[in-house]
Amino acid sequence: GHDYAPHMAALLASHRSDTQQLAGRPILGFPIGDAGILLLHYKLALSDAVADELFRAIEANADHPARGLVWGGAGSALAALFMFELSGDARWRDLFLEVVERLW
């Protein structure tokens, strides 16, 4: 195996630079945004700092208007659910429920 954890910060920085240049704004969502990269980073490194950054990204994306299964707030809810399954930390369950309530 390869250890990709040391490269995740550079991947996130590159993604942020590219999305700022291409879209003129951050893309925070799960499938192609910060949340997906941060979720992978957490899974590889189990870092509290990465988890906190992911929490902020999910909160900031919760009201995104896209309504697809993995896009917008729904994708953010999935990322919170995956973090709850990984960590067992109740804050992720609470965030998941908050995002779902907003979607409803």
Side-chain angles (χ1 to χ4, degrees):
H2 297 282
D3 182 11
Y4 296 106
H7 306 286
M8 295 307 297
L11 175 64
L12 183 61
S14 178
H15 162 74
R16 286 177 173 170
S17 175
D18 289 349
T19 57
Q20 187 62 40
Q21 188 176 39
L22 295 171
R25 61 177 172 72
I27 296 177
L28 301 172
F30 173 58
I32 61 167
D34 285 16
I37 295 169
L38 289 164
L39 183 61
L40 176 59
H41 191 175
Y42 178 81
K43 196 166 180 175
L44 294 173
L46 300 179
S47 161
D48 288 340
V50 172
D52 291 343
E53 193 170 359
L54 175 56
F55 193 93
R56 289 187 298 272
I58 292 170
E59 278 186 317
N61 200 54
D63 291 320
H64 189 284
R67 296 289 184 235
L69 180 61
V70 296
W71 300 100
S76 295
L78 279 177
L81 179 62
F82 295 151
M83 280 299 291
F84 177 63
E85 290 173 346
L86 282 170
S87 70
D89 186 337
R91 76 176 178 150
W92 296 106
R93 180 197 61 224
D94 296 344
L95 182 59
F96 170 79
L97 293 172
E98 176 185 332
V99 174
V100 169
E101 181 64 29
R102 289 181 187 182
L103 287 168
W104 186 253

